[in-house]
Amino acid sequence: MPFSFFGITPIKVLKDIGILKINLYLCNQLEQSSITSYGGRRKIESCRENSQKNMKERVFSVNSVQRNLFYDEKVVLDDGIYQDIRHCYDFLKTFAEDRIIYGINTGFGPMAQWRVDNQDLKDLQYNIIRSHATGAGEPLEDVYVKASMIARVGTFVQAHSGIHPSVVETLVKMINAGIYPFIPRHGSVGASGDLVQLAHIALTLIGEGKVHYRGTWRPTAEVLKENDIKPIQIYIREGLSAVNGTSVMTGISIVNQIYAEKLLDWCVISAVWMNEIAASYDDWMSERLNVCRRHTGQQAMAERMRAVAQGSKRLVKREHELYAQGRHTEKVFRDKVQAYYSLRCTPQILGPVYDTLTAAHQAIDEELNSACDNPVIDPDTNNVYHGGNFHGDYISLEEDKVKIAVVRLAMTTERQLNYLFHDRINGILPPFLNLGKLGLNYGMQACQFTATSTTAECQTLAMPNYVHSIPNNNDNQDIVSMGTNTALLCKEVIENAYQVMAIQMIALAQATDCLAITDDLAPATRAIYNKVRDICPKFVEDTPFYEEIANVIEYLKK
């Protein structure tokens, strides 16, 4: 996950600590795990090697999709990918003759026991699309829809769906033209994948439904015609393949991951800035302290904090202040010997979040480059395999973990805010960072209400959704992942956490001005101070904050 502080951090730091070392970390974990004996490790490596032999090269990643979503990079597939898709299609076209294959000449779900006559096979594919476009609720924002569309391409390019290449071509053209299908929030139980929400994408692929194009909702057929894009045709199983899989929950999770990783970076900056405000002893982030605990995340967070803190004149050396003999003879110390937990324990608090995001990043990358269709068409073995690659458990479980981790970030930030606002706790700042007349003015008092209530909502939403399976579909789907609901709840928690962090950034800037320590900050935190003050200048008289909070959120997410 990219890690930068507006060009201040040295390039070496960016390389050494800025990128999630996913593969190395996981390999180390496998090596050290007592569960995996030598024989067990050999089996794991053998499975991994066989898997890599059978899988296509990865086309997408969270990082590449980030460029598609936020930097207007186009989705481009090389000719070899289309050739593989065509090869799979040609194989299925021959293989499907005179064979019973689910969803090609049978009904869907519990209706699979009924054979469909040959003259009705094209209607069967159109029916699965139209009958399942039943979503409800507010539409997903464009960025989540675009990510979901890219995730669907990620499944198709595995060349295990048996679809005509024109389906992929049309989907890529729509993505690059900024044509986004109407996808309602509700509808998926995450078991046969995101049937309902993907049906809304598929509906637009056949030229029906509506799309969001240049800020306006319009009939799909009109927009496709304007862009010289032809709706797809049905050949064999294009309808089922378009609606079957985990692409919507994966798309939402990609955006969640991008924002969660950014939020963690902001928490690292906030941790250092908080300790600069408090003039803390700097050994809380020292290398020798943190290497004593064998957790990759904790050590990575401490290393990042040391990088951010370089050049600070506010952090105190314990060996200079407390360990110098004869310097302190008083019985009661004026300054705290150890800072509060929300300041001092930040490597230990943020470390598990880092590890959680590392695991989620890998899981999303793998899902993004997986065939999450059913059945799976495999020309290499001349077979069609029926199973459950559409089941969203990987995404659902990871998004629950990300959600809980982000709630922890919000909780930590809220406690740091309390330190800044509570004059009897910090002992150095006016109540609520109020630079006006006490009693007449209120500073950021009401901002704390917002941060506290938002954090409380996050805590309520932290309940794992992965365990909330409800059987449905005539008990055909007797256990489901609820992956899309989980990803949507995670999305909501991340949005809330950014609101709390925005208030924290304004408070840190105000606290810096209360103490008049701007010139003593580390260059990294000073740069953030300047950015925040461009949005929200120092205030003495009471003023509304809602616009400044919104603008800081926008800045943080960029």
Side-chain angles (χ1 to χ4, degrees):
M1 76 188 162
F3 180 66
S4 64
F5 295 112
F6 310 97
I8 292 170
T9 308
I11 295 297
K12 183 178 184 301
V13 174
L14 295 178
K15 289 182 177 178
D16 291 348
I17 66 174
I19 300 173
L20 287 170
K21 300 182 178 72
I22 297 169
N23 294 332
L24 177 62
Y25 169 64
L26 290 177
C27 288
N28 287 340
Q29 289 296 96
L30 283 174
E31 283 297 315
Q32 296 169 11
S33 172
S34 61
I35 297 174
T36 53
S37 62
Y38 175 73
R41 290 198 301 272
R42 291 293 298 272
K43 289 178 182 177
I44 290 171
E45 291 303 322
S46 176
C47 289
R48 181 184 295 169
E49 289 172 8
N50 289 336
S51 173
Q52 294 305 317
K53 288 177 184 177
N54 293 326
M55 295 296 289
K56 307 292 181 186
E57 284 190 22
R58 296 188 180 194
V59 176
F60 297 108
S61 66
V62 171
N63 294 337
S64 74
V65 177
Q66 183 174 7
R67 295 192 296 272
N68 299 138
L69 297 178
F70 298 105
Y71 301 99
D72 295 325
E73 188 172 296
K74 300 297 184 184
V75 174
V76 179
L77 304 177
D78 62 44
D79 291 339
I81 290 174
Y82 285 112
Q83 290 170 9
D84 289 343
I85 295 170
R86 180 76 198 209
H87 175 61
C88 184
Y89 166 78
D90 289 340
F91 162 74
L92 181 62
K93 186 177 181 181
T94 301
F95 185 88
E97 294 178 0
D98 300 323
R99 287 183 170 93
I100 303 300
I101 302 176
Y102 172 77
I104 292 179
N105 51 14
T106 76
F108 303 111
M111 300 294 182
Q113 300 307 111
W114 280 265
R115 184 167 186 161
V116 178
D117 294 335
N118 288 343
Q119 68 268 22
D120 296 324
L121 297 185
K122 283 194 176 182
D123 287 341
L124 176 69
Q125 299 301 315
Y126 283 114
N127 287 349
I128 187 69
I129 294 172
R130 291 167 179 150
S131 68
H132 282 60
T134 58
E138 292 297 313
L140 295 178
E141 298 94 324
D142 288 350
V143 66
Y144 299 94
V145 175
K146 185 176 183 179
S148 300
M149 296 168 77
I150 295 172
R152 200 68 202 142
V153 175
T155 283
F156 289 152
V157 299
Q158 304 308 309
H160 284 298
S161 294
I163 57 168
H164 195 274
S166 59
V167 177
V168 185
E169 292 171 351
T170 300
L171 189 52
V172 169
K173 287 178 181 177
M174 291 177 65
I175 292 168
N176 290 337
I179 303 171
Y180 305 123
F182 170 75
I183 304 180
R185 174 185 172 95
H186 293 138
S188 175
V189 295
S192 231
D194 300 311
L195 287 172
V196 168
Q197 279 118 327
L198 282 175
H200 282 271
I201 294 179
L203 197 65
T204 64
L205 287 173
I206 63 174
E208 300 178 13
K210 62 181 180 179
V211 294
H212 203 223
Y213 181 60
R214 296 181 178 178
T216 304
W217 290 107
R218 296 177 56 193
T220 302
E222 289 181 8
V223 176
L224 293 185
K225 187 175 181 180
E226 279 182 24
N227 287 271
D228 196 25
I229 300 173
K230 294 180 180 179
I232 67 168
Q233 300 297 310
I234 296 298
Y235 295 92
I236 306 175
R237 64 180 302 271
E238 283 71 23
L240 176 59
S241 186
V243 305
N244 196 19
T246 62
S247 302
V248 173
M249 68 177 80
T250 301
I252 297 167
S253 300
I254 290 167
V255 183
N256 287 349
Q257 186 72 19
I258 293 165
Y259 285 143
E261 290 178 5
K262 286 185 180 180
L263 185 65
L264 180 59
D265 286 344
W266 288 117
C267 286
V268 171
I269 296 171
S270 174
V272 174
W273 199 352
M274 281 292 304
N275 279 281
E276 287 185 296
I277 297 293
S280 299
Y281 295 108
D282 67 355
D283 51 351
W284 100 90
M285 60 177 176
S286 67
E287 182 178 6
R288 293 306 303 165
L289 171 77
N290 287 282
V291 297
C292 292
R293 201 174 189 203
R294 298 176 185 269
H295 291 293
T296 301
Q298 177 180 330
Q299 294 177 29
M301 293 294 92
E303 188 174 3
R304 288 185 178 188
M305 290 173 191
R306 293 194 297 274
V308 175
Q310 287 179 8
S312 176
K313 300 174 184 176
R314 287 289 297 175
L315 299 173
V316 181
K317 295 289 184 185
R318 188 178 298 271
E319 52 269 33
H320 296 168
E321 181 65 26
L322 291 183
Y323 295 168
Q325 292 184 353
R327 183 159 186 174
H328 287 279
T329 58
E330 67 271 35
K331 293 294 185 181
V332 179
F333 303 109
R334 184 194 63 175
D335 298 325
K336 285 187 70 66
V337 175
Q338 295 190 116
Y340 287 97
Y341 283 11
S342 62
L343 280 68
R344 172 166 43 108
C345 300
T346 43
Q348 293 80 5
I349 294 169
L350 302 187
V353 177
Y354 175 95
D355 290 337
T356 299
L357 293 182
T358 300
H361 195 114
Q362 184 192 22
I364 296 168
D365 271 349
E366 291 179 345
E367 192 71 17
L368 184 56
N369 293 279
S370 294
C372 59
D373 203 347
N374 182 60
V376 164
I377 317 303
D378 189 23
D380 293 340
T381 59
N382 295 312
N383 210 340
V384 173
Y385 298 93
H386 293 67
N389 279 4
F390 50 67
H391 222 272
D393 283 66
Y394 275 103
I395 292 296
S396 187
L397 182 55
E398 291 303 326
E399 288 304 280
D400 259 341
K401 291 191 285 186
V402 171
K403 178 180 65 173
I404 292 169
V406 173
V407 172
R408 191 64 168 170
L409 297 182
M411 291 167 59
T412 304
T413 303
E414 187 276 334
R415 285 294 82 199
Q416 292 173 348
L417 274 169
N418 187 67
Y419 174 89
L420 294 175
F421 292 157
H422 201 319
D423 57 303
R424 284 170 293 181
I425 288 179
N426 61 61
I428 55 174
L429 295 165
F432 304 108
L433 307 177
N434 184 358
L435 289 174
K437 184 181 294 186
L438 296 182
L440 176 64
N441 298 112
Y442 292 91
M444 295 187 70
Q445 175 175 304
C447 289
Q448 187 173 22
F449 300 151
T450 301
T452 302
S453 67
T454 306
T455 302
E457 182 176 272
C458 287
Q459 291 171 315
T460 300
L461 295 173
M463 173 67 188
N465 196 59
Y466 180 59
V467 297
H468 284 178
S469 176
I470 300 176
N472 68 109
N473 197 228
N474 280 10
D475 275 353
N476 173 53
Q477 298 183 12
D478 57 348
I479 184 164
V480 298
S481 74
M482 295 295 179
T484 307
N485 283 355
T486 308
L488 287 168
L489 290 171
C490 184
K491 169 183 178 289
E492 194 168 342
V493 164
I494 291 169
E495 293 291 338
N496 286 353
Y498 269 94
Q499 294 169 22
V500 180
M501 180 55 71
I503 295 171
Q504 167 80 330
M505 287 295 165
I506 295 172
L508 284 166
Q510 185 73 358
T512 299
D513 287 332
C514 288
L515 298 174
I517 58 169
T518 308
D519 292 338
D520 294 335
L521 295 178
T525 50
R526 172 65 185 270
I528 308 303
Y529 166 87
N530 291 337
K531 292 286 187 180
V532 173
R533 277 303 184 225
D534 287 344
I535 300 168
C536 181
K538 174 182 175 182
F539 48 90
V540 176
E541 299 298 327
D542 290 333
T543 180
F545 286 100
Y546 62 91
E547 290 185 347
E548 285 80 0
I549 293 171
N551 291 336
V552 172
I553 291 171
E554 183 180 359
Y555 161 68
L556 296 176
K557 294 178 82 171
K558 286 183 178 179

